[in-house]
Amino acid sequence: MAETLACNDVIYAFDRTHEPVKRVASGTTIEIETYDCFENQVQSAETKIGGIDWDRINPATGPIFVEGAQPGDVLKVKIDKLEIGSQGVMATGPDLGVLGHRQEEMASKIIPVEGDYAVFDDKLKIPLNKMIGVIGVAPEGEPVPCGTPGAHGGNMDTTLITEGATLYFPVFAEGALFALGDFHAAMGDGEIGVSGIEVPGKATVTLEVVKEGALRHPLLENKDGITFLVSKPTLDEAAKAAVEEMADFLLTRTDLDVADLAMMMSAAGQSQISQIVDPLMTARFFVPKYVLEAYGVTLFE
């Protein structure tokens, strides 16, 4: 039976000085409940989005102290299962997202979840892509608000962070201090309107310490391949840094030189956008599984 953590204990910033709300051994499977990104403040169309408490945005459940995790290690997080609530909410407005300059007032929408679809309106049903928006560990330096991504993870808003994926985070603080929240029933790459279909939910994850894994940014693995997730002030910086992270990672695990690696990544890799609306932009670089198999690449021993 998996351990459990209710959403009563939340943080609004990832911070190495936080007291953990739970301690677990490496290898523990735990069920973590979450609020939606508005801390469940919007339950009906009658709730005015502009009137909610904006200091209670993007709460993450935790932090969890993982025994044995030390700075310089890697925290492996396998997403075993994602469950979401029966309705979601979206919001947008002036100065929010890419189209915020074309809006004069805040707007929100309640979106029911029915079966495998989110009911956007009487004409459109959107297939579910259950995913986690905020997930990560304590950062190396100053606290980072949960709404901001970084090398520690945080609000990366990446559609690949879903059931069956495994994330690897660099550990910056003893115990890693892991937390997650901000689930989406569905979200497009970019999250251009500043919200996905925001839902409460529950994640079942397995937390494992990998000793001396030596990562600088989060790495994601799924059935299709591996992806580095990098957040920077501009999308250009994030996209280029994600390529550099992948190159450095593969240079130590293949017999390719930089020229061959550049050609291989240009032919088989993919530069992709995660989100372009948070305080930092998040991009990713993907390399498919068949490339890893061809060169006998293993992630961590």
Side-chain angles (χ1 to χ4, degrees), residues 181-198:
D182 185 33
F183 288 13
H184 302 128
M187 190 197 85
D189 281 338
E191 198 189 27
I192 65 94
V194 90
S195 70
I197 301 176
E198 310 291 339

Side-chain angles (χ1 to χ4, degrees), residues 2 7-10 67 70 107 137 158 164 179 186 215 237 270 278 284 293 299:
C7 57
N8 309 75
D9 295 297
V10 298
E67 294 172 358
Q70 296 289 339
V137 298
T158 296
L215 284 178
E237 290 174 281
Q270 303 287 337
D278 292 335
R284 58 188 192 261
E293 293 171 348
L299 299 192

Side-chain angles (χ1 to χ4, degrees), residues 7 15 26 49 55 68 86 91 97 113 145 155 162 184 188 195 216-217 232 243 246 261 285 287-288 291:
C7 57
D15 185 348
S26 176
I49 191 69
D55 291 330
S86 60
V113 174
N155 194 27
T162 189
H184 302 128
S195 70
R216 294 184 295 250
H217 293 271
K232 296 287 183 182
V243 172
M246 184 65 77
L261 187 67
F285 191 82
V287 168
V291 171

Side-chain angles (χ1 to χ4, degrees), residues 4 48 62 84 98 107 132 178 180 197 208-209 216 232 245 265:
T4 61
K48 296 297 184 183
I84 61 172
V98 179
I132 301 172
F178 173 79
L180 58 74
I197 301 176
E208 180 182 348
V209 177
R216 294 184 295 250
K232 296 287 183 182
E245 290 301 311
M265 290 170 61

